[in-house]
Amino acid sequence: MSLNQVDLAVSASWIIPVVPTGRTLENSALIINQGKIIDIVLQSELAKRYHVNELVELEQHVLIPGLVNAHGHAAMSLLRGYADDLQLQPWLEQHIWPAEARLLSEAFVRDGTELAIAEMLLSGTSCFSDMYFFPEVAAEVARESGIRAQLAFPILDFATAWASGPEEAIHKGLSLHDRYRSSDRIGVAFGPHAPYTVGDESLRKVVTLAEELQIPLQIHLHETADEVEQALKHSGMRPSQRLAELGLLSPLSQCVHMTQVDDGDITLLQNSGAHVIHCPNSNMKLASGACPVTRLLDAGVNVALGTDGAASNNGLNMLSEMRQAALLAKVESGNASAVHAHQALYMATMAGAKALGLDKVCGSLELGKAADICAIDLSGLAQQPMYNPVSQIVYSHCRASDVWVAGQRLLENGVLTRINQEQLVNTAQQWREKVVNV
């Protein structure tokens, strides 16, 4: 009998496909051809059914879908640790915005984005969403790196280093969308920054264009109690209500943070099909509040995870984000069973893919999907003894050993295959000198 010729097989002690939920496969292998998963077989059946051009055998490893970081500001990695232990507004107004005013450039975005992508790959992320200036530069860095990305181009009602106002930002963003329209890894989204920085006229234009082109949109929403309080004083409406009346809440919408949520907000999210991006580490560090994840999930709202930027998180590790999301949900709800390990893994993979409109492409290890895969080493002392690999991934301190995106190996045994890590560290140190001396 002739064997089927395929590009790649990756075998491991455990495979957690995420869909269907709760399933763990033992001693199995993913079969990959032309960048897609075409089969999952027992290791004992592999040689009987396939002739494999490349076989990767990972003992004491678990394969999961590549993690999806659904919100961040990649270039701000160059401001990691620059201003700590502050509330959001003084952190932004007294430190981050003045630093950006001095330093923001294409070079800043290029180097900061490459630093962020390297860090994300090293911790198992295969897809990320970014909202920052000069998104065309970030898109090019993402393309060169091999990672999957959504670039949410920033829209604000005032001039920035990238655009003179909302009209130019939208024009540039749509040009970027046209440039990557046929890309299989780089997508573009609208990024109206927040209800307090974008007026009704600009938001209506975003709604019209997003619906017409079926492009996602991402917005910071209900990030702090002060944001909601100021909106009520100004308009008599909570920000979510205003966005709903403008038509901005829909299945295309990615609502980032949502730490200040009441029953009315949940109903609006539930009825609109909008997604929530939960950033637990950043929200805790800035004392912004806690997203009521359990209540949102109970209402059927899709909740994904994001790291936010390294300037407010100090890391871009989605393995850490999963753990914090699960633990914070238990504290916030008073229920130790809230956001169990499988739910946390789902939030970091499939829920993120859904929020970004990529659930047909990635987020789970299903036949026909892109081979976006993360391998995690479970052989260490901190993972022993092994009772439940999903629990170990979420609650113990693990490391990603390998990452594939569309079948391309971007991380191999803990080493980046396309990015020079030593050179990147040197570049980051050079930026530190500029940040403190300019």
Side-chain angles (χ1 to χ4, degrees):
M1 183 178 69
S2 62
L3 300 179
N4 293 316
Q5 182 102 13
V6 295
D7 297 331
L8 172 66
V10 184
S11 70
S13 299
W14 304 275
I15 297 177
I16 302 168
V18 171
V19 175
T21 303
R23 187 179 184 189
T24 300
L25 307 174
E26 296 188 11
N27 300 317
S28 298
L30 292 174
I31 310 302
I32 296 150
N33 201 49
Q34 297 182 350
K36 293 187 176 182
I37 300 168
I38 65 167
D39 204 355
I40 305 177
V41 301
L42 290 170
Q43 292 172 8
S44 58
E45 295 293 314
L46 178 58
K48 301 175 186 177
R49 297 175 58 179
Y50 292 99
H51 179 75
V52 180
N53 293 339
E54 180 186 4
L55 173 61
V56 178
E57 296 178 291
L58 298 172
E59 294 185 6
Q60 296 302 304
H61 284 64
V62 58
L63 301 182
I64 62 173
L67 302 173
V68 179
N69 185 349
H71 176 70
H73 311 287
M76 294 182 78
S77 294
L78 293 176
L79 296 173
R80 184 199 321 268
Y82 174 68
D84 288 330
D85 306 320
L86 297 165
Q87 300 283 123
L88 176 64
Q89 289 311 123
W91 175 77
L92 280 173
E93 294 170 2
Q94 298 171 28
H95 299 275
I96 299 303
W97 286 345
E100 288 178 328
R102 299 193 312 269
L103 298 160
L104 194 54
S105 65
E106 291 190 9
F108 181 92
V109 171
R110 181 178 297 106
D111 292 341
T113 300
E114 187 175 23
L115 177 63
I117 289 173
E119 182 182 355
M120 286 188 281
L121 287 171
L122 285 164
S123 52
T125 291
S126 62
C127 175
F128 75 103
S129 177
D130 189 51
M131 183 195 289
Y132 206 62
F133 308 105
F134 300 102
E136 63 277 10
V137 176
E140 184 62 19
V141 175
R143 186 193 65 79
E144 292 172 354
S145 75
I147 201 168
R148 195 178 302 281
Q150 170 191 272
L151 285 307
F153 58 89
I155 302 167
L156 301 97
D157 268 1
F158 48 83
T160 67
W162 180 62
S164 60
E167 295 82 5
E168 186 179 12
I170 290 171
H171 174 74
K172 285 186 169 182
L174 292 178
S175 296
L176 183 64
H177 170 259
D178 289 342
R179 191 181 314 166
Y180 286 95
R181 187 189 299 271
S182 60
S183 173
D184 60 349
R185 287 189 297 104
I186 308 299
V188 175
F190 289 93
H193 172 259
Y196 56 88
T197 55
V198 189
D200 287 0
E201 182 180 352
S202 298
L203 291 175
R204 288 192 187 96
K205 186 175 293 186
V206 167
V207 169
T208 300
L209 291 168
E211 290 290 343
E212 179 183 330
L213 299 171
Q214 286 298 289
I215 298 176
L217 62 91
Q218 186 171 107
I219 186 168
H220 300 88
L221 185 62
H222 289 219
E223 185 171 1
T224 65
D226 184 64
E227 173 195 336
V228 177
E229 182 182 342
Q230 293 302 318
L232 286 168
K233 287 181 180 178
H234 178 72
S235 66
M237 290 190 291
R238 294 172 68 82
S240 63
Q241 183 183 354
R242 173 182 162 223
L243 296 192
E245 292 191 4
L246 291 169
L248 200 78
L249 296 185
S250 80
L252 295 172
S253 307
Q254 305 159 11
C255 304
V256 182
H257 296 301
M258 297 302 293
T259 69
Q260 313 297 318
V261 176
D262 66 12
D263 290 343
D265 300 320
I266 293 177
T267 298
L268 288 174
L269 293 167
Q270 186 180 41
N271 292 341
S272 67
H275 311 271
V276 168
I277 313 297
H278 176 33
C279 304
N281 276 309
S282 176
N283 288 337
M284 285 191 288
K285 185 166 183 282
L286 294 170
S288 297
C291 177
V293 171
T294 304
R295 291 166 57 209
L296 290 167
L297 293 175
D298 288 345
V301 177
N302 182 51
V303 181
L305 295 180
T307 60
D308 210 354
S312 63
N313 182 325
N314 295 63
L316 303 177
N317 189 327
M318 283 292 290
L319 294 170
S320 168
E321 220 65 44
M322 269 196 292
R323 185 174 190 270
Q324 297 291 54
L327 298 181
L328 184 58
K330 300 174 194 312
V331 172
E332 192 274 333
S333 66
N335 178 4
S337 64
V339 184
H340 54 72
H342 278 279
Q343 280 182 311
L345 180 58
Y346 184 93
M347 289 167 66
T349 54
M350 192 61 183
K354 281 185 176 180
L356 304 188
L358 295 173
D359 47 310
K360 297 288 194 297
V361 177
C362 61
S364 61
L365 301 178
E366 295 182 81
L367 305 193
K369 284 195 172 183
D372 290 11
I373 308 160
C374 169
I376 296 176
D377 185 357
L378 296 182
S379 65
L381 288 175
Q383 287 77 49
Q384 306 309 315
M386 178 60 64
Y387 300 113
N388 181 338
V390 181
S391 175
Q392 299 293 55
I393 292 168
V394 174
Y395 293 120
S396 69
H397 295 282
C398 300
R399 74 173 186 91
S401 64
D402 300 82
V403 172
W404 289 263
V405 175
Q408 298 298 307
R409 201 173 190 177
L410 305 184
L411 181 69
E412 182 174 355
N413 194 25
V415 178
L416 297 165
T417 63
R418 296 193 184 185
I419 297 174
N420 186 321
Q421 191 168 338
E422 183 178 353
Q423 181 179 322
L424 195 53
V425 170
N426 290 335
T427 300
Q429 290 172 345
Q430 291 168 14
W431 275 106
R432 179 201 172 276
E433 297 303 314
K434 294 178 183 178
V435 170
V436 298
N437 293 319
V438 171

